PDB file of all heavy atoms in Angstrom:
ATOM      1  N   GLY A   1     -13.209  -1.821  25.652  1.00 98.00           N
ATOM      2  CA  GLY A   1     -11.952  -1.124  25.902  1.00 98.00           C
ATOM      3  C   GLY A   1     -10.750  -2.034  26.016  1.00 98.00           C
ATOM      4  O   GLY A   1      -9.611  -1.560  26.048  1.00 98.00           O
ATOM      5  N   GLY A   2     -10.994  -3.328  26.084  1.00 98.00           N
ATOM      6  CA  GLY A   2      -9.909  -4.287  26.230  1.00 98.00           C
ATOM      7  C   GLY A   2      -9.246  -4.629  24.918  1.00 98.00           C
ATOM      8  O   GLY A   2      -9.564  -4.067  23.862  1.00 98.00           O
ATOM      9  N   SER A   3      -8.301  -5.585  25.004  1.00 98.00           N
ATOM     10  CA  SER A   3      -7.506  -5.985  23.843  1.00 98.00           C
ATOM     11  C   SER A   3      -7.461  -7.498  23.701  1.00 98.00           C
ATOM     12  O   SER A   3      -7.551  -8.228  24.699  1.00 98.00           O
ATOM     13  CB  SER A   3      -6.064  -5.460  23.989  1.00 98.00           C
ATOM     14  OG  SER A   3      -6.027  -4.062  24.055  1.00 98.00           O
ATOM     15  N   LEU A   4      -7.318  -7.939  22.470  1.00 98.00           N
ATOM     16  CA  LEU A   4      -7.092  -9.345  22.142  1.00 98.00           C
ATOM     17  C   LEU A   4      -6.177  -9.402  20.933  1.00 98.00           C
ATOM     18  O   LEU A   4      -6.186  -8.476  20.105  1.00 98.00           O
ATOM     19  CB  LEU A   4      -8.394 -10.067  21.797  1.00 98.00           C
ATOM     20  CG  LEU A   4      -9.333 -10.532  22.900  1.00 98.00           C
ATOM     21  CD1 LEU A   4     -10.602 -11.107  22.297  1.00 98.00           C
ATOM     22  CD2 LEU A   4      -8.655 -11.554  23.793  1.00 98.00           C
ATOM     23  N   THR A   5      -5.439 -10.500  20.828  1.00 98.00           N
ATOM     24  CA  THR A   5      -4.634 -10.744  19.637  1.00 98.00           C
ATOM     25  C   THR A   5      -5.009 -12.097  19.048  1.00 98.00           C
ATOM     26  O   THR A   5      -4.978 -13.114  19.753  1.00 98.00           O
ATOM     27  CB  THR A   5      -3.136 -10.725  19.957  1.00 98.00           C
ATOM     28  OG1 THR A   5      -2.771  -9.446  20.476  1.00 98.00           O
ATOM     29  CG2 THR A   5      -2.318 -10.976  18.693  1.00 98.00           C
ATOM     30  N   LEU A   6      -5.377 -12.091  17.790  1.00 98.00           N
ATOM     31  CA  LEU A   6      -5.694 -13.313  17.069  1.00 98.00           C
ATOM     32  C   LEU A   6      -4.481 -13.750  16.255  1.00 98.00           C
ATOM     33  O   LEU A   6      -3.732 -12.909  15.743  1.00 98.00           O
ATOM     34  CB  LEU A   6      -6.883 -13.104  16.136  1.00 98.00           C
ATOM     35  CG  LEU A   6      -8.147 -12.525  16.761  1.00 98.00           C
ATOM     36  CD1 LEU A   6      -9.248 -12.422  15.692  1.00 98.00           C
ATOM     37  CD2 LEU A   6      -8.608 -13.339  17.936  1.00 98.00           C
ATOM     38  N   SER A   7      -4.322 -15.067  16.117  1.00 98.00           N
ATOM     39  CA  SER A   7      -3.230 -15.628  15.330  1.00 98.00           C
ATOM     40  C   SER A   7      -3.786 -16.590  14.295  1.00 98.00           C
ATOM     41  O   SER A   7      -4.790 -17.262  14.535  1.00 98.00           O
ATOM     42  CB  SER A   7      -2.255 -16.400  16.229  1.00 98.00           C
ATOM     43  OG  SER A   7      -1.741 -15.597  17.234  1.00 98.00           O
ATOM     44  N   CYS A   8      -3.104 -16.670  13.165  1.00 97.00           N
ATOM     45  CA  CYS A   8      -3.497 -17.600  12.113  1.00 97.00           C
ATOM     46  C   CYS A   8      -2.227 -18.152  11.473  1.00 97.00           C
ATOM     47  O   CYS A   8      -1.496 -17.415  10.792  1.00 97.00           O
ATOM     48  CB  CYS A   8      -4.363 -16.906  11.075  1.00 97.00           C
ATOM     49  SG  CYS A   8      -4.784 -17.924   9.643  1.00 97.00           S
ATOM     50  N   ALA A   9      -1.975 -19.434  11.690  1.00 97.00           N
ATOM     51  CA  ALA A   9      -0.798 -20.091  11.126  1.00 97.00           C
ATOM     52  C   ALA A   9      -1.171 -20.786   9.830  1.00 97.00           C
ATOM     53  O   ALA A   9      -2.194 -21.482   9.758  1.00 97.00           O
ATOM     54  CB  ALA A   9      -0.239 -21.095  12.120  1.00 97.00           C
ATOM     55  N   ALA A  10      -0.341 -20.597   8.814  1.00 96.00           N
ATOM     56  CA  ALA A  10      -0.603 -21.166   7.488  1.00 96.00           C
ATOM     57  C   ALA A  10       0.596 -21.977   7.016  1.00 96.00           C
ATOM     58  O   ALA A  10       1.716 -21.755   7.480  1.00 96.00           O
ATOM     59  CB  ALA A  10      -0.897 -20.048   6.496  1.00 96.00           C
ATOM     60  N   PRO A  11       0.390 -22.908   6.098  1.00 94.00           N
ATOM     61  CA  PRO A  11       1.528 -23.596   5.484  1.00 94.00           C
ATOM     62  C   PRO A  11       2.436 -22.584   4.779  1.00 94.00           C
ATOM     63  O   PRO A  11       1.947 -21.613   4.201  1.00 94.00           O
ATOM     64  CB  PRO A  11       0.874 -24.549   4.485  1.00 94.00           C
ATOM     65  CG  PRO A  11      -0.519 -24.720   4.974  1.00 94.00           C
ATOM     66  CD  PRO A  11      -0.892 -23.423   5.607  1.00 94.00           C
ATOM     67  N   GLY A  12       3.742 -22.816   4.819  1.00 93.00           N
ATOM     68  CA  GLY A  12       4.661 -21.872   4.228  1.00 93.00           C
ATOM     69  C   GLY A  12       4.418 -21.619   2.753  1.00 93.00           C
ATOM     70  O   GLY A  12       4.574 -20.497   2.272  1.00 93.00           O
ATOM     71  N   SER A  13       4.035 -22.661   2.030  1.00 92.00           N
ATOM     72  CA  SER A  13       3.798 -22.515   0.595  1.00 92.00           C
ATOM     73  C   SER A  13       2.665 -21.544   0.301  1.00 92.00           C
ATOM     74  O   SER A  13       2.642 -20.914  -0.754  1.00 92.00           O
ATOM     75  CB  SER A  13       3.481 -23.885  -0.014  1.00 92.00           C
ATOM     76  OG  SER A  13       2.343 -24.458   0.610  1.00 92.00           O
ATOM     77  N   ILE A  14       1.719 -21.443   1.207  1.00 92.00           N
ATOM     78  CA  ILE A  14       0.598 -20.510   1.067  1.00 92.00           C
ATOM     79  C   ILE A  14       0.984 -19.137   1.590  1.00 92.00           C
ATOM     80  O   ILE A  14       0.731 -18.108   0.957  1.00 92.00           O
ATOM     81  CB  ILE A  14      -0.637 -21.037   1.820  1.00 92.00           C
ATOM     82  CG1 ILE A  14      -1.069 -22.395   1.280  1.00 92.00           C
ATOM     83  CG2 ILE A  14      -1.769 -20.027   1.766  1.00 92.00           C
ATOM     84  CD1 ILE A  14      -1.464 -22.374  -0.187  1.00 92.00           C
ATOM     85  N   PHE A  15       1.622 -19.139   2.755  1.00 93.00           N
ATOM     86  CA  PHE A  15       1.939 -17.882   3.424  1.00 93.00           C
ATOM     87  C   PHE A  15       2.842 -17.001   2.571  1.00 93.00           C
ATOM     88  O   PHE A  15       2.650 -15.782   2.496  1.00 93.00           O
ATOM     89  CB  PHE A  15       2.615 -18.190   4.766  1.00 93.00           C
ATOM     90  CG  PHE A  15       2.913 -16.973   5.593  1.00 93.00           C
ATOM     91  CD1 PHE A  15       1.961 -16.475   6.474  1.00 93.00           C
ATOM     92  CD2 PHE A  15       4.133 -16.324   5.498  1.00 93.00           C
ATOM     93  CE1 PHE A  15       2.229 -15.353   7.239  1.00 93.00           C
ATOM     94  CE2 PHE A  15       4.410 -15.209   6.251  1.00 93.00           C
ATOM     95  CZ  PHE A  15       3.460 -14.722   7.131  1.00 93.00           C
ATOM     96  N   ARG A  16       3.828 -17.594   1.933  1.00 93.00           N
ATOM     97  CA  ARG A  16       4.818 -16.803   1.199  1.00 93.00           C
ATOM     98  C   ARG A  16       4.234 -16.122  -0.036  1.00 93.00           C
ATOM     99  O   ARG A  16       4.728 -15.076  -0.448  1.00 93.00           O
ATOM    100  CB  ARG A  16       5.978 -17.700   0.777  1.00 93.00           C
ATOM    101  CG  ARG A  16       6.932 -18.047   1.894  1.00 93.00           C
ATOM    102  CD  ARG A  16       8.152 -18.761   1.354  1.00 93.00           C
ATOM    103  NE  ARG A  16       7.832 -20.084   0.835  1.00 93.00           N
ATOM    104  CZ  ARG A  16       7.826 -21.180   1.580  1.00 93.00           C
ATOM    105  NH1 ARG A  16       8.114 -21.109   2.870  1.00 93.00           N
ATOM    106  NH2 ARG A  16       7.546 -22.355   1.038  1.00 93.00           N
ATOM    107  N   ILE A  17       3.195 -16.693  -0.594  1.00 91.00           N
ATOM    108  CA  ILE A  17       2.684 -16.209  -1.875  1.00 91.00           C
ATOM    109  C   ILE A  17       1.547 -15.214  -1.719  1.00 91.00           C
ATOM    110  O   ILE A  17       1.477 -14.208  -2.445  1.00 91.00           O
ATOM    111  CB  ILE A  17       2.206 -17.404  -2.727  1.00 91.00           C
ATOM    112  CG1 ILE A  17       3.370 -18.324  -3.069  1.00 91.00           C
ATOM    113  CG2 ILE A  17       1.513 -16.911  -3.994  1.00 91.00           C
ATOM    114  CD1 ILE A  17       2.938 -19.592  -3.755  1.00 91.00           C
ATOM    115  N   TYR A  18       0.649 -15.502  -0.770  1.00 93.00           N
ATOM    116  CA  TYR A  18      -0.607 -14.781  -0.714  1.00 93.00           C
ATOM    117  C   TYR A  18      -0.678 -13.739   0.392  1.00 93.00           C
ATOM    118  O   TYR A  18      -0.032 -13.869   1.435  1.00 93.00           O
ATOM    119  CB  TYR A  18      -1.762 -15.756  -0.512  1.00 93.00           C
ATOM    120  CG  TYR A  18      -1.968 -16.701  -1.671  1.00 93.00           C
ATOM    121  CD1 TYR A  18      -1.755 -18.065  -1.515  1.00 93.00           C
ATOM    122  CD2 TYR A  18      -2.391 -16.237  -2.902  1.00 93.00           C
ATOM    123  CE1 TYR A  18      -1.950 -18.941  -2.557  1.00 93.00           C
ATOM    124  CE2 TYR A  18      -2.586 -17.105  -3.958  1.00 93.00           C
ATOM    125  CZ  TYR A  18      -2.365 -18.449  -3.786  1.00 93.00           C
ATOM    126  OH  TYR A  18      -2.564 -19.314  -4.829  1.00 93.00           O
ATOM    127  N   ALA A  19      -1.533 -12.738   0.153  1.00 95.00           N
ATOM    128  CA  ALA A  19      -1.895 -11.828   1.235  1.00 95.00           C
ATOM    129  C   ALA A  19      -2.693 -12.584   2.288  1.00 95.00           C
ATOM    130  O   ALA A  19      -3.432 -13.522   1.967  1.00 95.00           O
ATOM    131  CB  ALA A  19      -2.744 -10.689   0.693  1.00 95.00           C
ATOM    132  N   GLY A  20      -2.528 -12.174   3.535  1.00 96.00           N
ATOM    133  CA  GLY A  20      -3.322 -12.729   4.628  1.00 96.00           C
ATOM    134  C   GLY A  20      -4.379 -11.721   5.039  1.00 96.00           C
ATOM    135  O   GLY A  20      -4.100 -10.517   5.121  1.00 96.00           O
ATOM    136  N   SER A  21      -5.584 -12.182   5.265  1.00 97.00           N
ATOM    137  CA  SER A  21      -6.698 -11.298   5.585  1.00 97.00           C
ATOM    138  C   SER A  21      -7.435 -11.800   6.817  1.00 97.00           C
ATOM    139  O   SER A  21      -7.419 -12.989   7.117  1.00 97.00           O
ATOM    140  CB  SER A  21      -7.709 -11.249   4.431  1.00 97.00           C
ATOM    141  OG  SER A  21      -7.094 -10.939   3.207  1.00 97.00           O
ATOM    142  N   TRP A  22      -8.095 -10.865   7.474  1.00 98.00           N
ATOM    143  CA  TRP A  22      -9.031 -11.198   8.548  1.00 98.00           C
ATOM    144  C   TRP A  22     -10.414 -10.692   8.155  1.00 98.00           C
ATOM    145  O   TRP A  22     -10.563  -9.549   7.712  1.00 98.00           O
ATOM    146  CB  TRP A  22      -8.608 -10.580   9.870  1.00 98.00           C
ATOM    147  CG  TRP A  22      -7.427 -11.256  10.487  1.00 98.00           C
ATOM    148  CD1 TRP A  22      -6.116 -10.864  10.400  1.00 98.00           C
ATOM    149  CD2 TRP A  22      -7.441 -12.437  11.289  1.00 98.00           C
ATOM    150  NE1 TRP A  22      -5.317 -11.742  11.095  1.00 98.00           N
ATOM    151  CE2 TRP A  22      -6.106 -12.719  11.666  1.00 98.00           C
ATOM    152  CE3 TRP A  22      -8.447 -13.301  11.746  1.00 98.00           C
ATOM    153  CZ2 TRP A  22      -5.760 -13.814  12.458  1.00 98.00           C
ATOM    154  CZ3 TRP A  22      -8.106 -14.387  12.530  1.00 98.00           C
ATOM    155  CH2 TRP A  22      -6.763 -14.635  12.880  1.00 98.00           C
ATOM    156  N   TYR A  23     -11.391 -11.556   8.316  1.00 98.00           N
ATOM    157  CA  TYR A  23     -12.799 -11.232   8.110  1.00 98.00           C
ATOM    158  C   TYR A  23     -13.520 -11.479   9.435  1.00 98.00           C
ATOM    159  O   TYR A  23     -13.020 -12.171  10.315  1.00 98.00           O
ATOM    160  CB  TYR A  23     -13.417 -12.128   7.034  1.00 98.00           C
ATOM    161  CG  TYR A  23     -13.008 -11.818   5.627  1.00 98.00           C
ATOM    162  CD1 TYR A  23     -11.731 -12.123   5.154  1.00 98.00           C
ATOM    163  CD2 TYR A  23     -13.914 -11.231   4.743  1.00 98.00           C
ATOM    164  CE1 TYR A  23     -11.369 -11.839   3.851  1.00 98.00           C
ATOM    165  CE2 TYR A  23     -13.557 -10.950   3.420  1.00 98.00           C
ATOM    166  CZ  TYR A  23     -12.282 -11.268   2.989  1.00 98.00           C
ATOM    167  OH  TYR A  23     -11.932 -10.990   1.690  1.00 98.00           O
ATOM    168  N   ARG A  24     -14.717 -10.942   9.529  1.00 98.00           N
ATOM    169  CA  ARG A  24     -15.557 -11.246  10.678  1.00 98.00           C
ATOM    170  C   ARG A  24     -17.017 -11.326  10.254  1.00 98.00           C
ATOM    171  O   ARG A  24     -17.423 -10.719   9.264  1.00 98.00           O
ATOM    172  CB  ARG A  24     -15.382 -10.205  11.789  1.00 98.00           C
ATOM    173  CG  ARG A  24     -15.891  -8.817  11.448  1.00 98.00           C
ATOM    174  CD  ARG A  24     -15.526  -7.854  12.578  1.00 98.00           C
ATOM    175  NE  ARG A  24     -16.002  -6.500  12.302  1.00 98.00           N
ATOM    176  CZ  ARG A  24     -15.705  -5.443  13.055  1.00 98.00           C
ATOM    177  NH1 ARG A  24     -14.925  -5.583  14.128  1.00 98.00           N
ATOM    178  NH2 ARG A  24     -16.189  -4.256  12.735  1.00 98.00           N
ATOM    179  N   GLN A  25     -17.757 -12.111  11.028  1.00 98.00           N
ATOM    180  CA  GLN A  25     -19.181 -12.263  10.762  1.00 98.00           C
ATOM    181  C   GLN A  25     -19.937 -12.246  12.077  1.00 98.00           C
ATOM    182  O   GLN A  25     -19.753 -13.134  12.922  1.00 98.00           O
ATOM    183  CB  GLN A  25     -19.465 -13.556  10.006  1.00 98.00           C
ATOM    184  CG  GLN A  25     -20.895 -13.684   9.532  1.00 98.00           C
ATOM    185  CD  GLN A  25     -21.077 -14.777   8.508  1.00 98.00           C
ATOM    186  OE1 GLN A  25     -20.245 -15.676   8.368  1.00 98.00           O
ATOM    187  NE2 GLN A  25     -22.162 -14.705   7.757  1.00 98.00           N
ATOM    188  N   ALA A  26     -20.760 -11.230  12.221  1.00 96.00           N
ATOM    189  CA  ALA A  26     -21.611 -11.107  13.401  1.00 96.00           C
ATOM    190  C   ALA A  26     -22.934 -11.822  13.135  1.00 96.00           C
ATOM    191  O   ALA A  26     -23.322 -11.996  11.973  1.00 96.00           O
ATOM    192  CB  ALA A  26     -21.845  -9.643  13.719  1.00 96.00           C
ATOM    193  N   PRO A  27     -23.659 -12.225  14.177  1.00 92.00           N
ATOM    194  CA  PRO A  27     -24.933 -12.918  13.981  1.00 92.00           C
ATOM    195  C   PRO A  27     -25.890 -12.096  13.128  1.00 92.00           C
ATOM    196  O   PRO A  27     -26.089 -10.903  13.377  1.00 92.00           O
ATOM    197  CB  PRO A  27     -25.457 -13.085  15.409  1.00 92.00           C
ATOM    198  CG  PRO A  27     -24.240 -13.082  16.255  1.00 92.00           C
ATOM    199  CD  PRO A  27     -23.288 -12.137  15.593  1.00 92.00           C
ATOM    200  N   GLY A  28     -26.446 -12.730  12.108  1.00 94.00           N
ATOM    201  CA  GLY A  28     -27.418 -12.073  11.258  1.00 94.00           C
ATOM    202  C   GLY A  28     -26.839 -11.106  10.246  1.00 94.00           C
ATOM    203  O   GLY A  28     -27.593 -10.429   9.544  1.00 94.00           O
ATOM    204  N   LYS A  29     -25.508 -11.041  10.170  1.00 96.00           N
ATOM    205  CA  LYS A  29     -24.869 -10.107   9.244  1.00 96.00           C
ATOM    206  C   LYS A  29     -23.971 -10.851   8.262  1.00 96.00           C
ATOM    207  O   LYS A  29     -23.578 -11.994   8.499  1.00 96.00           O
ATOM    208  CB  LYS A  29     -24.057  -9.066  10.011  1.00 96.00           C
ATOM    209  CG  LYS A  29     -24.893  -8.145  10.869  1.00 96.00           C
ATOM    210  CD  LYS A  29     -24.051  -7.030  11.455  1.00 96.00           C
ATOM    211  CE  LYS A  29     -24.894  -6.049  12.252  1.00 96.00           C
ATOM    212  NZ  LYS A  29     -24.087  -4.935  12.810  1.00 96.00           N
ATOM    213  N   GLN A  30     -23.645 -10.181   7.179  1.00 97.00           N
ATOM    214  CA  GLN A  30     -22.741 -10.770   6.194  1.00 97.00           C
ATOM    215  C   GLN A  30     -21.302 -10.709   6.701  1.00 97.00           C
ATOM    216  O   GLN A  30     -20.935  -9.848   7.510  1.00 97.00           O
ATOM    217  CB  GLN A  30     -22.853 -10.014   4.868  1.00 97.00           C
ATOM    218  CG  GLN A  30     -24.159 -10.257   4.138  1.00 97.00           C
ATOM    219  CD  GLN A  30     -24.143  -9.655   2.737  1.00 97.00           C
ATOM    220  OE1 GLN A  30     -23.457  -8.673   2.476  1.00 97.00           O
ATOM    221  NE2 GLN A  30     -24.889 -10.260   1.830  1.00 97.00           N
ATOM    222  N   ARG A  31     -20.507 -11.624   6.192  1.00 97.00           N
ATOM    223  CA  ARG A  31     -19.088 -11.612   6.514  1.00 97.00           C
ATOM    224  C   ARG A  31     -18.459 -10.363   5.898  1.00 97.00           C
ATOM    225  O   ARG A  31     -18.719 -10.019   4.747  1.00 97.00           O
ATOM    226  CB  ARG A  31     -18.411 -12.871   5.971  1.00 97.00           C
ATOM    227  CG  ARG A  31     -17.019 -13.097   6.476  1.00 97.00           C
ATOM    228  CD  ARG A  31     -16.484 -14.454   6.055  1.00 97.00           C
ATOM    229  NE  ARG A  31     -17.242 -15.549   6.650  1.00 97.00           N
ATOM    230  CZ  ARG A  31     -16.888 -16.829   6.573  1.00 97.00           C
ATOM    231  NH1 ARG A  31     -15.770 -17.173   5.938  1.00 97.00           N
ATOM    232  NH2 ARG A  31     -17.626 -17.755   7.130  1.00 97.00           N
ATOM    233  N   GLU A  32     -17.622  -9.680   6.689  1.00 97.00           N
ATOM    234  CA  GLU A  32     -17.017  -8.447   6.204  1.00 97.00           C
ATOM    235  C   GLU A  32     -15.502  -8.492   6.364  1.00 97.00           C
ATOM    236  O   GLU A  32     -14.975  -9.109   7.309  1.00 97.00           O
ATOM    237  CB  GLU A  32     -17.567  -7.222   6.952  1.00 97.00           C
ATOM    238  CG  GLU A  32     -17.286  -7.195   8.433  1.00 97.00           C
ATOM    239  CD  GLU A  32     -17.717  -5.900   9.107  1.00 97.00           C
ATOM    240  OE1 GLU A  32     -18.110  -4.944   8.409  1.00 97.00           O
ATOM    241  OE2 GLU A  32     -17.632  -5.835  10.350  1.00 97.00           O
ATOM    242  N   LEU A  33     -14.813  -7.806   5.458  1.00 98.00           N
ATOM    243  CA  LEU A  33     -13.367  -7.724   5.501  1.00 98.00           C
ATOM    244  C   LEU A  33     -12.945  -6.753   6.600  1.00 98.00           C
ATOM    245  O   LEU A  33     -13.451  -5.638   6.668  1.00 98.00           O
ATOM    246  CB  LEU A  33     -12.821  -7.270   4.148  1.00 98.00           C
ATOM    247  CG  LEU A  33     -11.319  -7.089   4.038  1.00 98.00           C
ATOM    248  CD1 LEU A  33     -10.585  -8.398   4.249  1.00 98.00           C
ATOM    249  CD2 LEU A  33     -10.971  -6.493   2.673  1.00 98.00           C
ATOM    250  N   VAL A  34     -11.986  -7.178   7.417  1.00 98.00           N
ATOM    251  CA  VAL A  34     -11.497  -6.342   8.513  1.00 98.00           C
ATOM    252  C   VAL A  34     -10.135  -5.741   8.167  1.00 98.00           C
ATOM    253  O   VAL A  34      -9.922  -4.540   8.330  1.00 98.00           O
ATOM    254  CB  VAL A  34     -11.392  -7.176   9.800  1.00 98.00           C
ATOM    255  CG1 VAL A  34     -10.755  -6.357  10.918  1.00 98.00           C
ATOM    256  CG2 VAL A  34     -12.761  -7.697  10.224  1.00 98.00           C
ATOM    257  N   ALA A  35      -9.207  -6.579   7.710  1.00 98.00           N
ATOM    258  CA  ALA A  35      -7.850  -6.105   7.438  1.00 98.00           C
ATOM    259  C   ALA A  35      -7.140  -7.072   6.501  1.00 98.00           C
ATOM    260  O   ALA A  35      -7.460  -8.259   6.468  1.00 98.00           O
ATOM    261  CB  ALA A  35      -7.050  -5.973   8.736  1.00 98.00           C
ATOM    262  N   VAL A  36      -6.189  -6.521   5.754  1.00 97.00           N
ATOM    263  CA  VAL A  36      -5.390  -7.311   4.810  1.00 97.00           C
ATOM    264  C   VAL A  36      -3.924  -6.944   4.976  1.00 97.00           C
ATOM    265  O   VAL A  36      -3.593  -5.752   5.076  1.00 97.00           O
ATOM    266  CB  VAL A  36      -5.794  -7.037   3.345  1.00 97.00           C
ATOM    267  CG1 VAL A  36      -4.957  -7.891   2.397  1.00 97.00           C
ATOM    268  CG2 VAL A  36      -7.269  -7.289   3.121  1.00 97.00           C
ATOM    269  N   ALA A  37      -3.053  -7.946   4.984  1.00 97.00           N
ATOM    270  CA  ALA A  37      -1.605  -7.729   4.969  1.00 97.00           C
ATOM    271  C   ALA A  37      -1.026  -8.469   3.776  1.00 97.00           C
ATOM    272  O   ALA A  37      -1.124  -9.694   3.702  1.00 97.00           O
ATOM    273  CB  ALA A  37      -0.967  -8.228   6.268  1.00 97.00           C
ATOM    274  N   THR A  38      -0.454  -7.736   2.839  1.00 94.00           N
ATOM    275  CA  THR A  38       0.095  -8.376   1.647  1.00 94.00           C
ATOM    276  C   THR A  38       1.428  -9.048   1.963  1.00 94.00           C
ATOM    277  O   THR A  38       2.039  -8.807   3.002  1.00 94.00           O
ATOM    278  CB  THR A  38       0.308  -7.351   0.529  1.00 94.00           C
ATOM    279  OG1 THR A  38       1.350  -6.452   0.928  1.00 94.00           O
ATOM    280  CG2 THR A  38      -0.963  -6.562   0.246  1.00 94.00           C
ATOM    281  N   SER A  39       1.884  -9.866   1.032  1.00 90.00           N
ATOM    282  CA  SER A  39       3.161 -10.556   1.221  1.00 90.00           C
ATOM    283  C   SER A  39       4.331  -9.579   1.227  1.00 90.00           C
ATOM    284  O   SER A  39       5.394  -9.881   1.766  1.00 90.00           O
ATOM    285  CB  SER A  39       3.360 -11.610   0.138  1.00 90.00           C
ATOM    286  OG  SER A  39       3.278 -11.020  -1.141  1.00 90.00           O
ATOM    287  N   SER A  40       4.132  -8.384   0.673  1.00 89.00           N
ATOM    288  CA  SER A  40       5.177  -7.358   0.682  1.00 89.00           C
ATOM    289  C   SER A  40       5.138  -6.496   1.928  1.00 89.00           C
ATOM    290  O   SER A  40       6.013  -5.643   2.125  1.00 89.00           O
ATOM    291  CB  SER A  40       5.060  -6.467  -0.560  1.00 89.00           C
ATOM    292  OG  SER A  40       3.822  -5.800  -0.569  1.00 89.00           O
ATOM    293  N   GLY A  41       4.097  -6.685   2.757  1.00 82.00           N
ATOM    294  CA  GLY A  41       4.061  -6.007   4.048  1.00 82.00           C
ATOM    295  C   GLY A  41       3.109  -4.837   4.170  1.00 82.00           C
ATOM    296  O   GLY A  41       2.987  -4.254   5.242  1.00 82.00           O
ATOM    297  N   SER A  42       2.427  -4.475   3.098  1.00 94.00           N
ATOM    298  CA  SER A  42       1.473  -3.370   3.212  1.00 94.00           C
ATOM    299  C   SER A  42       0.182  -3.860   3.854  1.00 94.00           C
ATOM    300  O   SER A  42      -0.154  -5.044   3.777  1.00 94.00           O
ATOM    301  CB  SER A  42       1.186  -2.760   1.850  1.00 94.00           C
ATOM    302  OG  SER A  42       0.592  -3.719   1.005  1.00 94.00           O
ATOM    303  N   ALA A  43      -0.537  -2.937   4.497  1.00 97.00           N
ATOM    304  CA  ALA A  43      -1.745  -3.287   5.232  1.00 97.00           C
ATOM    305  C   ALA A  43      -2.862  -2.310   4.910  1.00 97.00           C
ATOM    306  O   ALA A  43      -2.623  -1.117   4.714  1.00 97.00           O
ATOM    307  CB  ALA A  43      -1.478  -3.290   6.731  1.00 97.00           C
ATOM    308  N   THR A  44      -4.075  -2.826   4.857  1.00 97.00           N
ATOM    309  CA  THR A  44      -5.265  -1.991   4.712  1.00 97.00           C
ATOM    310  C   THR A  44      -6.303  -2.452   5.712  1.00 97.00           C
ATOM    311  O   THR A  44      -6.293  -3.615   6.149  1.00 97.00           O
ATOM    312  CB  THR A  44      -5.851  -2.076   3.287  1.00 97.00           C
ATOM    313  OG1 THR A  44      -6.139  -3.446   2.987  1.00 97.00           O
ATOM    314  CG2 THR A  44      -4.893  -1.530   2.250  1.00 97.00           C
TER     315      THR A  44
END
């Protein structure tokens, strides 16, 4: 029920061009996509 905020700082040359994504991997499981934010601001 609690909350956390994760941060990821990138070089500007990378940040400006590419979408930023978060993945997660639980023990014994494959890495999975959690969320994506494109450089234009859309999110999935």
Side-chain angles (χ1 to χ4, degrees):
S3 299
L4 281 175
T5 299
L6 307 182
S7 302
C8 175
S13 59
I14 300 299
F15 184 88
R16 284 188 292 272
I17 296 173
Y18 295 114
S21 307
W22 287 97
Y23 286 73
R24 67 186 180 187
Q25 188 166 19
K29 294 187 177 181
Q30 289 188 332
R31 192 172 295 188
E32 62 174 352
L33 178 63
V34 174
V36 181
T38 67
S39 56
S40 62
S42 62
T44 57

